[in-house]
Amino acid sequence: MNSLEYPSNSVEQDGVGTAGTFTFAPNPNDSVPDTDVESFRYGFNSDADPTTAAKPSKAGGSVSVTWTPSRWGRNWVEVISVDKAGNASTKARYEFLVTEGRPATAQWNLADAAGSTSAHDERDKFAADKGSGVAFGAVGPGGKADAAASFDGTENSYLDSVNTVLDTARSFSVSAWVRPTDLSRDMTVVSQDGTGVPGFTLGYDTTVGTWAFGTPLTDVDTLGEWRAVARGTDGNPLVPVKDTWVLLTGVYDAQASGGPQLRLYVNKTSVGTAQRRSVWKTYGSLQIGRALTKSGYRNHFKGDLAEVRVFDRVLPAGQVAELMTIKPTRKGYWQLDSASGTTSAETGGGQALTLAGDARVYRPAPADPDDPFASPDPPAMVGAGHLVLDGAGDYAATAAAPSNGASSFTVTARAQLTAIDGTVPQTVFSLPGAAANRVQVRFRPDPNGGTASRWELAVADTDSASAAVKVFQDDQELPDTGSSGQHLAVVYDAFANEIRLYVEGQLASTARGTDNTLWSTAKGLQVGRSALGSPEHFAGVIDEVRAYDGALDLTVVDQLSLQTAIPDM
């Protein structure tokens, strides 16, 4: 057995959603050639005996099969050869390693700042030109902690990638968060231009009254389309709900076992499939919010869209479900405006931060009306109070982890250093596992006492005391001791396998990188120290601590960096 795409070695190969060819042949090293081997039985990733048949063109020959991995890590195929008399060989096993799959070819979060003339592509390849009927700044599927773009349904309601993004003759997937505000007309969420028709469309079809993912039979003049339609378990069309967010995903599998197949998902559920019996390639722009016809564009979308992602591979069901986790959900917001004994409450009534050592919440005393000339207390950094730490063993922590480090998450805080001329790193916050920090955001002083101090994000690749640690440093916003402090945010996008450190709402190229560790935190959020290894206690003021499941967009991080409390975000 062998495979060019997935060799049997210790190296992970690309990847989930990408097909490989596996060739079975009689053992060429046998002293007597196995010329009477007539067929093979094989099975992938199964502990049961292989049952799927593959027959070479002649006895003793080889045969190849195509298979697409749907999970990362160790995979295998087991094969039995069968001779003309029906005698079966012992089972042979071929193991290989698979990556999580290529990231999105293009990704438009549609969380751009109001007034932007184009939609930013997170891969920095396909910025999409904006029609005047699109407005950024709408509330996204994650509520006010999320962002989206609003489409008004007019002929100017579109985003145009300008360049071709997908090869529509090969496997691809496309996904978007969708909130329709009008279900009285056909509407396209995503398409890609052909010559006179789109190469594919994902959107709403009034004829069937539901979502559909389809490809026309031919380019230019077409008599119909191959189309997967959203249907419930009863076989009836799955009726969309107006003004409600839903995740739509269309998957085209060019190597499906039963022939090229279109599959449609609503949220994480597969709701429709169709065969694609004619395949052709488009060379036009990818469109968000409209579709091409010979007479121009039509089916303009009316409503809100967010997180449009396209892939040049198959998304298996597990990864479609993972897309649901990108949506942010707040798990904790500690304003640190007050304390009761040794605890400071969480704004939504969740688990409190417990203060340890000399940690205390500072609240400025109200002005004395009888002494108008008295000097007022210094104001709190944000709101009515803030956490004060002296760097000598005090900190605050939650009892349990507010967010699971094995999926997308965000943690933010505002920090003010007492001094920047120290010699010891100081941790602002960390998410510990059992033996290593999943993430740790800290102040890293210049070892030579100069101006090379940095804010730094450290990420352990495994939950082990000997784990390798990747470090990302921000080289744009240097640490300072100003009274307003500096806003720090770490955002992990588990689907894109990317982690980012924002300082004052800005992202430097040096403060982002690949992270595919995917291991869970085990202990509570630590504020002002590392619970593992060197404690690196923080000396200064910390305020406005937040934790989310899901990855916050740049514009939301930028909003949170403003020196004001936002309780509803």
Side-chain angles (χ1 to χ4, degrees), residues 2-7 13-24 42 44 64-70 77 94 96 98 102 170-171 253 255:
N2 66 76
S3 171
L4 178 64
E5 296 85 359
Y6 296 104
Q13 306 295 327
D14 178 36
V16 169
T18 299
T21 299
F22 297 80
T23 301
F24 313 141
Y42 69 93
F44 285 91
S64 295
V65 300
T66 301
W67 182 77
T68 303
S70 61
V77 57
Y94 178 92
F96 52 98
V98 176
R102 292 189 295 272
R170 306 180 70 175
S171 296
D253 186 349
Q255 304 293 334

PDB file of all heavy atoms in Angstrom, residues 2-7 13-24 42 44 64-70 77 94 96 98 102 170-171 253 255:
ATOM      1  N   ASN A   2       0.411   2.262  -0.695  1.00  0.00           N
ATOM      2  CA  ASN A   2       1.123   3.531  -0.637  1.00  0.00           C
ATOM      3  C   ASN A   2       0.190   4.655  -1.063  1.00  0.00           C
ATOM      4  O   ASN A   2      -0.854   4.429  -1.688  1.00  0.00           O
ATOM      5  CB  ASN A   2       2.385   3.506  -1.502  1.00  0.00           C
ATOM      6  CG  ASN A   2       2.074   3.376  -2.983  1.00  0.00           C
ATOM      7  OD1 ASN A   2       1.658   4.325  -3.626  1.00  0.00           O
ATOM      8  ND2 ASN A   2       2.279   2.174  -3.520  1.00  0.00           N
ATOM      9  N   SER A   3       0.596   5.881  -0.718  1.00  0.00           N
ATOM     10  CA  SER A   3      -0.143   7.073  -1.119  1.00  0.00           C
ATOM     11  C   SER A   3       0.846   8.209  -1.281  1.00  0.00           C
ATOM     12  O   SER A   3       1.674   8.456  -0.388  1.00  0.00           O
ATOM     13  CB  SER A   3      -1.195   7.440  -0.074  1.00  0.00           C
ATOM     14  OG  SER A   3      -1.773   8.698  -0.363  1.00  0.00           O
ATOM     15  N   LEU A   4       0.804   8.881  -2.398  1.00  0.00           N
ATOM     16  CA  LEU A   4       1.679  10.025  -2.633  1.00  0.00           C
ATOM     17  C   LEU A   4       1.304  11.185  -1.715  1.00  0.00           C
ATOM     18  O   LEU A   4       2.173  11.842  -1.141  1.00  0.00           O
ATOM     19  CB  LEU A   4       1.585  10.465  -4.103  1.00  0.00           C
ATOM     20  CG  LEU A   4       2.426  11.686  -4.493  1.00  0.00           C
ATOM     21  CD1 LEU A   4       3.912  11.387  -4.324  1.00  0.00           C
ATOM     22  CD2 LEU A   4       2.125  12.092  -5.940  1.00  0.00           C
ATOM     23  N   GLU A   5      -0.001  11.422  -1.548  1.00  0.00           N
ATOM     24  CA  GLU A   5      -0.460  12.545  -0.726  1.00  0.00           C
ATOM     25  C   GLU A   5      -0.308  12.268   0.768  1.00  0.00           C
ATOM     26  O   GLU A   5      -0.065  13.189   1.550  1.00  0.00           O
ATOM     27  CB  GLU A   5      -1.923  12.867  -1.028  1.00  0.00           C
ATOM     28  CG  GLU A   5      -2.188  13.355  -2.438  1.00  0.00           C
ATOM     29  CD  GLU A   5      -2.387  12.205  -3.424  1.00  0.00           C
ATOM     30  OE1 GLU A   5      -2.308  11.021  -3.013  1.00  0.00           O
ATOM     31  OE2 GLU A   5      -2.618  12.491  -4.615  1.00  0.00           O
ATOM     32  N   TYR A   6      -0.463  10.995   1.165  1.00  0.00           N
ATOM     33  CA  TYR A   6      -0.427  10.633   2.582  1.00  0.00           C
ATOM     34  C   TYR A   6       0.539   9.477   2.816  1.00  0.00           C
ATOM     35  O   TYR A   6       0.126   8.344   3.075  1.00  0.00           O
ATOM     36  CB  TYR A   6      -1.843  10.277   3.065  1.00  0.00           C
ATOM     37  CG  TYR A   6      -2.790  11.459   3.005  1.00  0.00           C
ATOM     38  CD1 TYR A   6      -3.748  11.557   2.002  1.00  0.00           C
ATOM     39  CD2 TYR A   6      -2.686  12.486   3.930  1.00  0.00           C
ATOM     40  CE1 TYR A   6      -4.590  12.647   1.928  1.00  0.00           C
ATOM     41  CE2 TYR A   6      -3.523  13.587   3.867  1.00  0.00           C
ATOM     42  CZ  TYR A   6      -4.473  13.663   2.865  1.00  0.00           C
ATOM     43  OH  TYR A   6      -5.305  14.757   2.805  1.00  0.00           O
ATOM     44  N   PRO A   7       1.850   9.752   2.729  1.00  0.00           N
ATOM     45  CA  PRO A   7       2.834   8.693   2.978  1.00  0.00           C
ATOM     46  C   PRO A   7       2.798   8.240   4.431  1.00  0.00           C
ATOM     47  O   PRO A   7       2.415   8.991   5.324  1.00  0.00           O
ATOM     48  CB  PRO A   7       4.169   9.373   2.639  1.00  0.00           C
ATOM     49  CG  PRO A   7       3.911  10.834   2.800  1.00  0.00           C
ATOM     50  CD  PRO A   7       2.477  11.047   2.399  1.00  0.00           C
ATOM     51  N   GLN A  13       0.460  15.310   7.057  1.00  0.00           N
ATOM     52  CA  GLN A  13       0.257  15.751   5.675  1.00  0.00           C
ATOM     53  C   GLN A  13      -1.063  16.503   5.562  1.00  0.00           C
ATOM     54  O   GLN A  13      -1.975  16.324   6.357  1.00  0.00           O
ATOM     55  CB  GLN A  13       0.249  14.547   4.736  1.00  0.00           C
ATOM     56  CG  GLN A  13       1.480  13.655   4.851  1.00  0.00           C
ATOM     57  CD  GLN A  13       2.755  14.338   4.422  1.00  0.00           C
ATOM     58  OE1 GLN A  13       2.750  15.185   3.528  1.00  0.00           O
ATOM     59  NE2 GLN A  13       3.875  13.985   5.051  1.00  0.00           N
ATOM     60  N   ASP A  14      -1.150  17.335   4.546  1.00  0.00           N
ATOM     61  CA  ASP A  14      -2.356  18.121   4.287  1.00  0.00           C
ATOM     62  C   ASP A  14      -3.389  17.244   3.596  1.00  0.00           C
ATOM     63  O   ASP A  14      -3.119  16.690   2.525  1.00  0.00           O
ATOM     64  CB  ASP A  14      -1.987  19.291   3.383  1.00  0.00           C
ATOM     65  CG  ASP A  14      -3.175  20.148   3.010  1.00  0.00           C
ATOM     66  OD1 ASP A  14      -4.051  20.305   3.869  1.00  0.00           O
ATOM     67  OD2 ASP A  14      -3.227  20.645   1.867  1.00  0.00           O
ATOM     68  N   GLY A  15      -4.547  17.212   4.159  1.00  0.00           N
ATOM     69  CA  GLY A  15      -5.026  17.490   5.457  1.00  0.00           C
ATOM     70  C   GLY A  15      -6.493  17.131   5.431  1.00  0.00           C
ATOM     71  O   GLY A  15      -7.049  16.604   4.466  1.00  0.00           O
ATOM     72  N   VAL A  16      -7.186  17.402   6.516  1.00  0.00           N
ATOM     73  CA  VAL A  16      -8.632  17.173   6.606  1.00  0.00           C
ATOM     74  C   VAL A  16      -9.327  17.898   5.447  1.00  0.00           C
ATOM     75  O   VAL A  16      -9.085  19.071   5.188  1.00  0.00           O
ATOM     76  CB  VAL A  16      -9.173  17.680   7.951  1.00  0.00           C
ATOM     77  CG1 VAL A  16     -10.696  17.698   7.950  1.00  0.00           C
ATOM     78  CG2 VAL A  16      -8.653  16.820   9.094  1.00  0.00           C
ATOM     79  N   GLY A  17     -10.192  17.189   4.746  1.00  0.00           N
ATOM     80  CA  GLY A  17     -10.945  17.773   3.646  1.00  0.00           C
ATOM     81  C   GLY A  17     -10.257  17.732   2.301  1.00  0.00           C
ATOM     82  O   GLY A  17     -10.828  18.171   1.301  1.00  0.00           O
ATOM     83  N   THR A  18      -9.029  17.205   2.247  1.00  0.00           N
ATOM     84  CA  THR A  18      -8.293  17.113   0.984  1.00  0.00           C
ATOM     85  C   THR A  18      -8.100  15.644   0.607  1.00  0.00           C
ATOM     86  O   THR A  18      -7.508  14.872   1.361  1.00  0.00           O
ATOM     87  CB  THR A  18      -6.926  17.802   1.087  1.00  0.00           C
ATOM     88  OG1 THR A  18      -7.133  19.184   1.388  1.00  0.00           O
ATOM     89  CG2 THR A  18      -6.147  17.689  -0.208  1.00  0.00           C
ATOM     90  N   ALA A  19      -8.597  15.256  -0.565  1.00  0.00           N
ATOM     91  CA  ALA A  19      -8.582  13.858  -0.980  1.00  0.00           C
ATOM     92  C   ALA A  19      -7.169  13.372  -1.287  1.00  0.00           C
ATOM     93  O   ALA A  19      -6.303  14.142  -1.721  1.00  0.00           O
ATOM     94  CB  ALA A  19      -9.469  13.671  -2.202  1.00  0.00           C
ATOM     95  N   GLY A  20      -6.947  12.097  -1.040  1.00  0.00           N
ATOM     96  CA  GLY A  20      -5.698  11.436  -1.403  1.00  0.00           C
ATOM     97  C   GLY A  20      -5.992  10.146  -2.139  1.00  0.00           C
ATOM     98  O   GLY A  20      -7.075   9.564  -2.014  1.00  0.00           O
ATOM     99  N   THR A  21      -5.019   9.686  -2.927  1.00  0.00           N
ATOM    100  CA  THR A  21      -5.157   8.432  -3.656  1.00  0.00           C
ATOM    101  C   THR A  21      -4.327   7.354  -2.962  1.00  0.00           C
ATOM    102  O   THR A  21      -3.149   7.579  -2.646  1.00  0.00           O
ATOM    103  CB  THR A  21      -4.680   8.594  -5.110  1.00  0.00           C
ATOM    104  OG1 THR A  21      -5.497   9.577  -5.752  1.00  0.00           O
ATOM    105  CG2 THR A  21      -4.798   7.275  -5.864  1.00  0.00           C
ATOM    106  N   PHE A  22      -4.943   6.205  -2.728  1.00  0.00           N
ATOM    107  CA  PHE A  22      -4.297   5.089  -2.037  1.00  0.00           C
ATOM    108  C   PHE A  22      -4.287   3.896  -2.995  1.00  0.00           C
ATOM    109  O   PHE A  22      -5.333   3.520  -3.537  1.00  0.00           O
ATOM    110  CB  PHE A  22      -5.040   4.750  -0.749  1.00  0.00           C
ATOM    111  CG  PHE A  22      -5.024   5.872   0.261  1.00  0.00           C
ATOM    112  CD1 PHE A  22      -5.895   6.946   0.147  1.00  0.00           C
ATOM    113  CD2 PHE A  22      -4.112   5.853   1.314  1.00  0.00           C
ATOM    114  CE1 PHE A  22      -5.870   7.983   1.061  1.00  0.00           C
ATOM    115  CE2 PHE A  22      -4.082   6.888   2.227  1.00  0.00           C
ATOM    116  CZ  PHE A  22      -4.958   7.959   2.112  1.00  0.00           C
ATOM    117  N   THR A  23      -3.094   3.346  -3.192  1.00  0.00           N
ATOM    118  CA  THR A  23      -2.920   2.252  -4.151  1.00  0.00           C
ATOM    119  C   THR A  23      -2.647   0.945  -3.418  1.00  0.00           C
ATOM    120  O   THR A  23      -1.770   0.886  -2.548  1.00  0.00           O
ATOM    121  CB  THR A  23      -1.764   2.558  -5.113  1.00  0.00           C
ATOM    122  OG1 THR A  23      -2.053   3.775  -5.816  1.00  0.00           O
ATOM    123  CG2 THR A  23      -1.579   1.428  -6.116  1.00  0.00           C
ATOM    124  N   PHE A  24      -3.424  -0.085  -3.772  1.00  0.00           N
ATOM    125  CA  PHE A  24      -3.259  -1.420  -3.203  1.00  0.00           C
ATOM    126  C   PHE A  24      -2.683  -2.332  -4.285  1.00  0.00           C
ATOM    127  O   PHE A  24      -3.117  -2.293  -5.436  1.00  0.00           O
ATOM    128  CB  PHE A  24      -4.587  -2.000  -2.721  1.00  0.00           C
ATOM    129  CG  PHE A  24      -5.410  -1.046  -1.892  1.00  0.00           C
ATOM    130  CD1 PHE A  24      -6.795  -0.993  -2.042  1.00  0.00           C
ATOM    131  CD2 PHE A  24      -4.815  -0.195  -0.973  1.00  0.00           C
ATOM    132  CE1 PHE A  24      -7.563  -0.122  -1.288  1.00  0.00           C
ATOM    133  CE2 PHE A  24      -5.569   0.681  -0.215  1.00  0.00           C
ATOM    134  CZ  PHE A  24      -6.947   0.716  -0.369  1.00  0.00           C
ATOM    135  N   TYR A  42     -11.107  -3.236   1.706  1.00  0.00           N
ATOM    136  CA  TYR A  42     -10.410  -2.226   2.499  1.00  0.00           C
ATOM    137  C   TYR A  42     -11.395  -1.459   3.390  1.00  0.00           C
ATOM    138  O   TYR A  42     -12.619  -1.466   3.169  1.00  0.00           O
ATOM    139  CB  TYR A  42      -9.650  -1.252   1.588  1.00  0.00           C
ATOM    140  CG  TYR A  42     -10.532  -0.346   0.757  1.00  0.00           C
ATOM    141  CD1 TYR A  42     -10.891   0.924   1.212  1.00  0.00           C
ATOM    142  CD2 TYR A  42     -11.014  -0.757  -0.490  1.00  0.00           C
ATOM    143  CE1 TYR A  42     -11.696   1.757   0.448  1.00  0.00           C
ATOM    144  CE2 TYR A  42     -11.816   0.059  -1.261  1.00  0.00           C
ATOM    145  CZ  TYR A  42     -12.161   1.325  -0.786  1.00  0.00           C
ATOM    146  OH  TYR A  42     -12.964   2.139  -1.534  1.00  0.00           O
ATOM    147  N   PHE A  44     -11.230   2.328   5.993  1.00  0.00           N
ATOM    148  CA  PHE A  44     -10.485   3.420   6.618  1.00  0.00           C
ATOM    149  C   PHE A  44     -10.980   3.665   8.038  1.00  0.00           C
ATOM    150  O   PHE A  44     -12.188   3.717   8.292  1.00  0.00           O
ATOM    151  CB  PHE A  44     -10.633   4.708   5.798  1.00  0.00           C
ATOM    152  CG  PHE A  44      -9.823   4.730   4.532  1.00  0.00           C
ATOM    153  CD1 PHE A  44     -10.364   4.282   3.337  1.00  0.00           C
ATOM    154  CD2 PHE A  44      -8.522   5.198   4.538  1.00  0.00           C
ATOM    155  CE1 PHE A  44      -9.626   4.291   2.161  1.00  0.00           C
ATOM    156  CE2 PHE A  44      -7.765   5.227   3.372  1.00  0.00           C
ATOM    157  CZ  PHE A  44      -8.319   4.771   2.177  1.00  0.00           C
ATOM    158  N   SER A  64      -6.359   1.617  -7.344  1.00  0.00           N
ATOM    159  CA  SER A  64      -6.284   2.841  -6.542  1.00  0.00           C
ATOM    160  C   SER A  64      -7.678   3.306  -6.159  1.00  0.00           C
ATOM    161  O   SER A  64      -8.631   3.193  -6.957  1.00  0.00           O
ATOM    162  CB  SER A  64      -5.560   3.952  -7.320  1.00  0.00           C
ATOM    163  OG  SER A  64      -4.215   3.604  -7.562  1.00  0.00           O
ATOM    164  N   VAL A  65      -7.773   3.822  -4.953  1.00  0.00           N
ATOM    165  CA  VAL A  65      -9.039   4.395  -4.480  1.00  0.00           C
ATOM    166  C   VAL A  65      -8.751   5.807  -3.960  1.00  0.00           C
ATOM    167  O   VAL A  65      -7.629   6.116  -3.531  1.00  0.00           O
ATOM    168  CB  VAL A  65      -9.677   3.539  -3.362  1.00  0.00           C
ATOM    169  CG1 VAL A  65      -9.973   2.146  -3.861  1.00  0.00           C
ATOM    170  CG2 VAL A  65      -8.793   3.500  -2.131  1.00  0.00           C
ATOM    171  N   THR A  66      -9.764   6.651  -4.010  1.00  0.00           N
ATOM    172  CA  THR A  66      -9.645   8.021  -3.512  1.00  0.00           C
ATOM    173  C   THR A  66     -10.430   8.151  -2.214  1.00  0.00           C
ATOM    174  O   THR A  66     -11.572   7.679  -2.124  1.00  0.00           O
ATOM    175  CB  THR A  66     -10.171   9.027  -4.551  1.00  0.00           C
ATOM    176  OG1 THR A  66      -9.410   8.884  -5.752  1.00  0.00           O
ATOM    177  CG2 THR A  66     -10.034  10.447  -4.047  1.00  0.00           C
ATOM    178  N   TRP A  67      -9.821   8.788  -1.235  1.00  0.00           N
ATOM    179  CA  TRP A  67     -10.456   8.924   0.074  1.00  0.00           C
ATOM    180  C   TRP A  67     -10.074  10.273   0.675  1.00  0.00           C
ATOM    181  O   TRP A  67      -8.943  10.743   0.503  1.00  0.00           O
ATOM    182  CB  TRP A  67     -10.018   7.791   0.991  1.00  0.00           C
ATOM    183  CG  TRP A  67     -10.652   7.797   2.355  1.00  0.00           C
ATOM    184  CD1 TRP A  67     -11.911   7.402   2.688  1.00  0.00           C
ATOM    185  CD2 TRP A  67     -10.033   8.217   3.579  1.00  0.00           C
ATOM    186  NE1 TRP A  67     -12.127   7.544   4.033  1.00  0.00           N
ATOM    187  CE2 TRP A  67     -10.981   8.036   4.608  1.00  0.00           C
ATOM    188  CE3 TRP A  67      -8.768   8.709   3.904  1.00  0.00           C
ATOM    189  CZ2 TRP A  67     -10.710   8.362   5.936  1.00  0.00           C
ATOM    190  CZ3 TRP A  67      -8.483   9.034   5.216  1.00  0.00           C
ATOM    191  CH2 TRP A  67      -9.458   8.855   6.225  1.00  0.00           C
ATOM    192  N   THR A  68     -11.029  10.899   1.380  1.00  0.00           N
ATOM    193  CA  THR A  68     -10.812  12.216   1.967  1.00  0.00           C
ATOM    194  C   THR A  68     -10.835  12.122   3.480  1.00  0.00           C
ATOM    195  O   THR A  68     -11.864  11.750   4.067  1.00  0.00           O
ATOM    196  CB  THR A  68     -11.909  13.200   1.505  1.00  0.00           C
ATOM    197  OG1 THR A  68     -11.918  13.265   0.075  1.00  0.00           O
ATOM    198  CG2 THR A  68     -11.653  14.595   2.074  1.00  0.00           C
ATOM    199  N   PRO A  69      -9.748  12.462   4.173  1.00  0.00           N
ATOM    200  CA  PRO A  69      -9.739  12.424   5.644  1.00  0.00           C
ATOM    201  C   PRO A  69     -10.733  13.420   6.235  1.00  0.00           C
ATOM    202  O   PRO A  69     -10.870  14.543   5.735  1.00  0.00           O
ATOM    203  CB  PRO A  69      -8.302  12.814   6.006  1.00  0.00           C
ATOM    204  CG  PRO A  69      -7.507  12.601   4.764  1.00  0.00           C
ATOM    205  CD  PRO A  69      -8.441  12.853   3.633  1.00  0.00           C
ATOM    206  N   SER A  70     -11.403  13.003   7.300  1.00  0.00           N
ATOM    207  CA  SER A  70     -12.344  13.890   7.979  1.00  0.00           C
ATOM    208  C   SER A  70     -11.917  14.194   9.409  1.00  0.00           C
ATOM    209  O   SER A  70     -12.642  14.865  10.137  1.00  0.00           O
ATOM    210  CB  SER A  70     -13.748  13.261   7.987  1.00  0.00           C
ATOM    211  OG  SER A  70     -13.743  12.026   8.690  1.00  0.00           O
ATOM    212  N   VAL A  77      -5.646   2.796   7.030  1.00  0.00           N
ATOM    213  CA  VAL A  77      -6.454   1.963   6.150  1.00  0.00           C
ATOM    214  C   VAL A  77      -5.967   0.529   6.310  1.00  0.00           C
ATOM    215  O   VAL A  77      -4.764   0.274   6.407  1.00  0.00           O
ATOM    216  CB  VAL A  77      -6.361   2.418   4.675  1.00  0.00           C
ATOM    217  CG1 VAL A  77      -4.929   2.425   4.172  1.00  0.00           C
ATOM    218  CG2 VAL A  77      -7.237   1.534   3.775  1.00  0.00           C
ATOM    219  N   TYR A  94      -1.960   0.267   7.076  1.00  0.00           N
ATOM    220  CA  TYR A  94      -1.150   1.395   6.598  1.00  0.00           C
ATOM    221  C   TYR A  94      -1.585   2.628   7.388  1.00  0.00           C
ATOM    222  O   TYR A  94      -2.739   3.039   7.330  1.00  0.00           O
ATOM    223  CB  TYR A  94      -1.393   1.584   5.108  1.00  0.00           C
ATOM    224  CG  TYR A  94      -0.669   2.732   4.438  1.00  0.00           C
ATOM    225  CD1 TYR A  94       0.581   2.533   3.852  1.00  0.00           C
ATOM    226  CD2 TYR A  94      -1.248   3.994   4.349  1.00  0.00           C
ATOM    227  CE1 TYR A  94       1.234   3.571   3.194  1.00  0.00           C
ATOM    228  CE2 TYR A  94      -0.598   5.035   3.702  1.00  0.00           C
ATOM    229  CZ  TYR A  94       0.642   4.830   3.122  1.00  0.00           C
ATOM    230  OH  TYR A  94       1.288   5.856   2.470  1.00  0.00           O
ATOM    231  N   PHE A  96      -1.015   6.769   8.644  1.00  0.00           N
ATOM    232  CA  PHE A  96      -0.495   8.052   8.158  1.00  0.00           C
ATOM    233  C   PHE A  96      -1.059   9.172   9.031  1.00  0.00           C
ATOM    234  O   PHE A  96      -2.074   8.999   9.717  1.00  0.00           O
ATOM    235  CB  PHE A  96      -0.869   8.267   6.688  1.00  0.00           C
ATOM    236  CG  PHE A  96      -2.336   8.100   6.381  1.00  0.00           C
ATOM    237  CD1 PHE A  96      -3.185   9.202   6.284  1.00  0.00           C
ATOM    238  CD2 PHE A  96      -2.885   6.836   6.199  1.00  0.00           C
ATOM    239  CE1 PHE A  96      -4.533   9.046   6.013  1.00  0.00           C
ATOM    240  CE2 PHE A  96      -4.239   6.669   5.925  1.00  0.00           C
ATOM    241  CZ  PHE A  96      -5.060   7.776   5.828  1.00  0.00           C
ATOM    242  N   VAL A  98      -2.385  13.233   9.499  1.00  0.00           N
ATOM    243  CA  VAL A  98      -3.139  14.232   8.740  1.00  0.00           C
ATOM    244  C   VAL A  98      -3.213  15.537   9.536  1.00  0.00           C
ATOM    245  O   VAL A  98      -3.462  15.527  10.739  1.00  0.00           O
ATOM    246  CB  VAL A  98      -4.562  13.714   8.444  1.00  0.00           C
ATOM    247  CG1 VAL A  98      -5.399  14.765   7.731  1.00  0.00           C
ATOM    248  CG2 VAL A  98      -4.501  12.435   7.626  1.00  0.00           C
ATOM    249  N   ARG A 102      -6.222  22.811   5.370  1.00  0.00           N
ATOM    250  CA  ARG A 102      -5.808  24.155   4.992  1.00  0.00           C
ATOM    251  C   ARG A 102      -6.791  25.191   5.553  1.00  0.00           C
ATOM    252  O   ARG A 102      -7.995  24.948   5.608  1.00  0.00           O
ATOM    253  CB  ARG A 102      -5.739  24.293   3.470  1.00  0.00           C
ATOM    254  CG  ARG A 102      -4.620  23.459   2.849  1.00  0.00           C
ATOM    255  CD  ARG A 102      -4.447  23.796   1.374  1.00  0.00           C
ATOM    256  NE  ARG A 102      -5.614  23.436   0.588  1.00  0.00           N
ATOM    257  CZ  ARG A 102      -5.805  22.250   0.044  1.00  0.00           C
ATOM    258  NH1 ARG A 102      -4.916  21.286   0.223  1.00  0.00           N
ATOM    259  NH2 ARG A 102      -6.877  22.000  -0.687  1.00  0.00           N
ATOM    260  N   ARG A 170     -13.288  21.948  -8.652  1.00  0.00           N
ATOM    261  CA  ARG A 170     -12.678  21.080  -7.648  1.00  0.00           C
ATOM    262  C   ARG A 170     -13.427  21.258  -6.327  1.00  0.00           C
ATOM    263  O   ARG A 170     -14.275  22.130  -6.187  1.00  0.00           O
ATOM    264  CB  ARG A 170     -11.194  21.415  -7.499  1.00  0.00           C
ATOM    265  CG  ARG A 170     -10.451  21.368  -8.827  1.00  0.00           C
ATOM    266  CD  ARG A 170      -8.992  21.689  -8.679  1.00  0.00           C
ATOM    267  NE  ARG A 170      -8.280  20.629  -7.977  1.00  0.00           N
ATOM    268  CZ  ARG A 170      -6.963  20.618  -7.800  1.00  0.00           C
ATOM    269  NH1 ARG A 170      -6.223  21.607  -8.268  1.00  0.00           N
ATOM    270  NH2 ARG A 170      -6.395  19.614  -7.142  1.00  0.00           N
ATOM    271  N   SER A 171     -13.096  20.441  -5.354  1.00  0.00           N
ATOM    272  CA  SER A 171     -13.792  20.517  -4.058  1.00  0.00           C
ATOM    273  C   SER A 171     -13.631  21.905  -3.440  1.00  0.00           C
ATOM    274  O   SER A 171     -12.550  22.497  -3.483  1.00  0.00           O
ATOM    275  CB  SER A 171     -13.235  19.463  -3.103  1.00  0.00           C
ATOM    276  OG  SER A 171     -13.490  18.157  -3.568  1.00  0.00           O
ATOM    277  N   ASP A 253     -18.081  18.281  -2.791  1.00  0.00           N
ATOM    278  CA  ASP A 253     -17.088  17.218  -2.687  1.00  0.00           C
ATOM    279  C   ASP A 253     -16.930  16.579  -4.056  1.00  0.00           C
ATOM    280  O   ASP A 253     -17.753  15.759  -4.479  1.00  0.00           O
ATOM    281  CB  ASP A 253     -17.528  16.183  -1.653  1.00  0.00           C
ATOM    282  CG  ASP A 253     -16.478  15.128  -1.380  1.00  0.00           C
ATOM    283  OD1 ASP A 253     -15.484  15.074  -2.131  1.00  0.00           O
ATOM    284  OD2 ASP A 253     -16.655  14.337  -0.436  1.00  0.00           O
ATOM    285  N   GLN A 255     -14.787  14.477  -4.937  1.00  0.00           N
ATOM    286  CA  GLN A 255     -14.311  13.099  -4.858  1.00  0.00           C
ATOM    287  C   GLN A 255     -15.228  12.214  -4.012  1.00  0.00           C
ATOM    288  O   GLN A 255     -14.798  11.159  -3.535  1.00  0.00           O
ATOM    289  CB  GLN A 255     -12.898  13.083  -4.252  1.00  0.00           C
ATOM    290  CG  GLN A 255     -11.893  13.944  -4.977  1.00  0.00           C
ATOM    291  CD  GLN A 255     -11.590  13.436  -6.365  1.00  0.00           C
ATOM    292  OE1 GLN A 255     -11.730  12.245  -6.643  1.00  0.00           O
ATOM    293  NE2 GLN A 255     -11.187  14.326  -7.254  1.00  0.00           N
TER     294      GLN A 255
END
